[in-house]
Amino acid sequence: MFIRRSDPSLPRPSEITPESVYLERRHLLKQLGVAGLGLASPGLVAAAGQGAAGARPAPANAYTAIADRGNLPPFLAKALAARQRVTRPFSEALTPYEVVSGYNNFYEFGFDKSDPAQNARNFRVEPWRVRVDGECEAPADYTLEDLLAPHTLQDRIYRFRCVEGWSMVVPWVGFPLADLIRRMRPTSKARHVEFTTLHDPQRMPAQHTDLLDWPYVEGLRLDEAMHPLTMLAVGLYGRSLPPQNGAPLRLVVPWKYGFKSIKSIVRIRFLAQAPRTTWQRMAPEEYGYYANVNPRVDHPRWSQARERRLPTTFFSPNWRETLPFNGYARDVATLYRGMDLHRHF
Ligand SMILES: Nc1nc2c(c(=O)[nH]1)N[C@H]1C(S)=C(S)[C@@H](COP(=O)(O)O)O[C@H]1N2
Ligand SMILES: [Mo]
């Protein structure tokens, strides 16, 4: 995502191969790589995430949880410890923790990929409140503790594809946004959900600049927000979110470009109309409201047919084909039935 200067890591036209049609065959549950849908094998639940101490071999994507730095609020430590752990292998290798937490887009903390890890180091997220308002029956200012209280956290391994052309595989920890939305009881007028990032230049230094039109705002159609793949994340690799990844609460929408996955959320608002999102305000012809990953719809300045799977080096760029809906077409294509995806990009 950039508007002011070009990124040397982006593919040049000469590096792009013709797109090819990819048929997504795997079923949702295999792709999810999650527990918590009532189908988990208990034996594997116990083994995963703990280095597989038992006799059973660890699933391909079991990981050793990363320890949290510093003291977590007790409610969060408890919720993370009680999470439902990875039970199913995911066919692609996880992107190492150092990369997920060291190569970031979070413009509130600077422009370069290494800026957020540097500049968010001392970002304080306690206390944290989330305002829920608009077209719903339970508007209120919730503490993070109250917001999380009824939800059991789950590990979910998802592909993550940035509109700039790089991608990762991340083991998030979170819960379905749909479960929270049901609690808030949207009215019959609600058609969209708007999300807003904290606006506090004292704590987010790049908000002193005009890099973006602050605060960062994103949105989803209500049915997209209610889709079982859409999650609110509070952690990754078994620990709480590092500040540079959007602590303490961020959205994850795996079939959309990464910019939809808004970080450090302080407000969730139900609306009758689509909100005006930050990227639509900045460059409407480049970043649409839907932002579904689509190898057949190029960005005006580059192809979206392929992606670089992190970690990459100059000598091993690790190119792969980008999949329709980032590989989740089976699960989400029906949301867009009858829509012209070139127009509603
Ligand atoms: N508030 C806020 N949210 C944001 C961004 C941002 O700059 N500010 N960048 C977006 C973009 S472009 C991407 S690719 C992802 C990156 O998430 P990650 O750093 O956790 O990989 O965050 C998204 N959410
Ligand atoms: Mo992005």
Side-chain angles (χ1 to χ4, degrees):
M1 199 68 143
F2 64 91
I3 39 191
R4 269 152 230 255
R5 49 175 152 137
S6 65
D7 183 339
S9 67
L10 288 171
R12 281 179 306 239
S14 60
E15 295 174 314
I16 307 296
T17 53
E19 62 192 43
S20 66
V21 179
Y22 181 92
L23 289 174
E24 182 54 53
R25 290 185 194 87
R26 276 169 305 217
H27 183 266
L28 163 66
L29 294 173
K30 278 199 195 136
Q31 302 228 350
L32 273 172
V34 297
L37 296 174
L39 298 165
S41 139
L44 284 177
V45 171
Q50 297 173 329
R56 220 183 266 263
N61 294 93
Y63 59 83
T64 306
I66 305 285
D68 256 286
R69 294 235 187 85
N71 293 325
L72 280 186
F75 74 88
L76 189 53
K78 250 171 88 178
L80 286 165
R83 76 189 194 280
Q84 295 177 321
R85 294 180 178 171
V86 172
T87 60
R88 283 166 187 276
F90 190 88
S91 58
E92 297 160 28
L94 300 184
T95 303
Y97 174 77
E98 291 66 32
V99 176
V100 175
S101 61
Y103 185 96
N104 301 99
N105 275 335
F106 199 171
Y107 282 5
E108 285 83 342
F109 292 101
F111 179 82
D112 288 321
K113 296 289 184 279
S114 57
D115 285 344
Q118 277 291 328
N119 300 332
R121 205 171 271 168
N122 299 316
F123 182 55
R124 295 254 342 201
V125 298
E126 298 144 45
W128 193 269
R129 286 176 173 278
V130 179
R131 168 160 300 175
V132 179
D133 62 349
E135 290 293 338
C136 71
E137 284 167 29
D141 283 350
Y142 292 86
T143 63
L144 186 62
E145 180 170 8
D146 289 344
L147 202 73
L148 297 185
H151 304 285
T152 301
L153 300 181
Q154 309 167 351
D155 278 323
R156 291 196 175 201
I157 299 173
Y158 283 159
R159 290 187 204 93
F160 186 94
R161 169 64 155 81
C162 173
V163 74
E164 295 163 349
W166 51 270
S167 68
M168 314 187 279
V169 176
V170 183
W172 302 105
V173 183
F175 61 95
L177 174 62
D179 292 348
L180 182 127
I181 291 179
R182 278 188 209 101
R183 273 168 74 201
M184 304 307 161
R185 284 173 284 132
T187 69
S188 59
K189 288 194 194 129
R191 287 284 175 276
H192 293 264
V193 190
E194 175 196 69
F195 306 86
T196 308
T197 295
L198 176 69
H199 189 193
D200 184 351
Q202 303 281 355
R203 292 153 76 193
M204 296 181 144
Q207 286 181 337
H208 285 297
T209 74
D210 64 357
L211 186 58
L212 288 183
D213 190 0
W214 316 107
Y216 198 103
V217 171
E218 259 307 335
L220 295 171
R221 227 168 51 189
L222 186 61
D223 59 341
E224 298 177 315
M226 297 287 291
H227 192 280
L229 287 175
T230 304
M231 74 187 294
L232 282 172
V234 297
L236 51 81
Y237 272 98
R239 57 155 289 176
S240 66
L241 282 173
Q244 60 269 32
N245 292 98
L249 183 74
R250 58 112 31 106
L251 187 68
V252 178
V253 193
W255 71 93
K256 292 178 180 283
Y257 291 120
F259 68 87
K260 298 298 285 185
S261 292
I262 183 173
K263 297 175 169 182
S264 304
I265 295 166
V266 294
R267 188 177 187 191
I268 299 175
R269 184 157 67 128
F270 295 90
L271 297 171
Q273 306 291 333
R276 270 190 85 212
T277 67
T278 298
W279 286 107
Q280 285 180 289
R281 266 179 282 156
M282 303 295 295
E285 64 296 330
E286 302 194 10
Y287 308 110
Y289 182 68
Y290 284 95
N292 291 316
V293 174
N294 191 336
R296 291 176 207 102
V297 177
D298 289 338
H299 185 278
R301 290 183 282 131
W302 60 85
S303 164
Q304 295 291 25
R306 294 200 299 158
E307 64 198 55
R308 294 180 302 119
R309 176 62 53 84
L310 302 184
T312 61
T313 66
F314 184 78
F315 297 105
S316 110
N318 212 359
W319 290 108
R320 58 172 64 216
E321 282 174 26
T322 286
L323 309 179
F325 298 104
N326 206 24
Y328 301 97
R330 262 282 163 87
D331 312 300
V332 301
T334 53
L335 292 172
Y336 310 103
R337 192 175 284 153
M339 281 175 59
D340 176 352
L341 297 179
H342 286 81
R343 201 159 74 83
H344 299 282
F345 63 92

